[in-house]
Structures are given as C-alpha cells and as structure tokens.
C-alpha cells in the first residue's frame, strides 16, 4: 500500500495464430522499498482471458511449486464490446 506516487507497466506479447500471450507487469511507488514484478501466460478466449502467472516477486515462493500455486494466483478478465449493442 502506498500514499505516494505509484507507477506501473503492463506488457503483453502475442504469438501468431494462437490464443496464447506472454505478459509481464512491473509496479512500484516512490515510498515503497521494493518494486513488484509478475510474469506468465494469458489464454485469450476473446470474451474471457485467463492469466496464469509463473513468477511473482512479492511471494515467499516466487515461482511455480505445484498446480495449487497456479490455482491460488490465476486471474480472470471478462470484457464485452458494448458498442455492438443497439437499443
């Protein structure tokens, strides 16, 4: 948690003709001692994206140790194009 200026970079690299992407996130703040990094794969199903981190710098166990490690850290993103809906 920070009360000062925070910053972040989110990078994503696509692979051709595959729903897989590589991601890396970098974040920090002027009053924090450490910067935070995570990286992994994104499986992109258009409406739903599944983020599977393989590394998180802030965890005691920062790399994959077993499937439970991934299950506890995976994230979902839902996105809809509301412009295509007409009233």
């Amino acid at each position: 948690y920070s009360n000062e200026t925070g910053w972040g970079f989110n990078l994503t690299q696509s692979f051709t003709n595959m729903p897989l992407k590589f991601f890396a996130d970098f974040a920090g703040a002027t009053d924090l001692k450490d910067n935070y990094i995570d990286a992994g794969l994104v499986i992109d199903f258009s409406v739903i994206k599944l983020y599977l981190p393989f590394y998180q710098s802030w965890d005691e166990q920062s790399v994959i140790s077993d499937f439970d490690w991934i299950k506890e850290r995976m994230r979902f993103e839902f996105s809809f194009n509301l412009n295509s809906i007409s009233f």
Side-chain angles (χ1 to χ4, degrees):
Y1 180 76
S2 173
N3 289 320
E4 299 293 325
T5 303
W7 57 269
F9 294 102
N10 305 100
L11 306 172
T12 305
Q13 175 62 51
S14 299
F15 299 101
T16 56
N17 300 325
M18 298 178 74
L20 295 176
K21 299 177 183 178
F22 172 78
F23 78 88
D25 302 321
F26 305 90
T30 55
D31 63 340
L32 297 179
K33 184 177 103 175
D34 296 322
N35 295 324
Y36 298 96
I37 302 167
D38 70 336
L41 286 178
V42 179
I43 303 172
D44 188 348
F45 299 107
S46 294
V47 174
I48 299 171
K49 293 180 184 177
L50 176 63
Y51 289 82
L52 304 170
F54 297 150
Y55 174 79
Q56 290 184 331
S57 66
W58 59 90
D59 282 340
E60 193 171 301
Q61 178 69 38
S62 60
V63 294
I64 298 172
S65 56
D66 55 23
F67 185 68
D68 286 335
W69 189 94
I70 294 175
K71 283 191 327 186
E72 293 170 1
R73 291 160 180 83
M74 75 170 113
R75 302 183 302 267
F76 298 91
E77 177 183 319
F78 298 97
S79 61
F80 303 95
N81 183 356
L82 297 177
N83 291 329
S84 63
I85 298 173
S86 60
F87 296 98

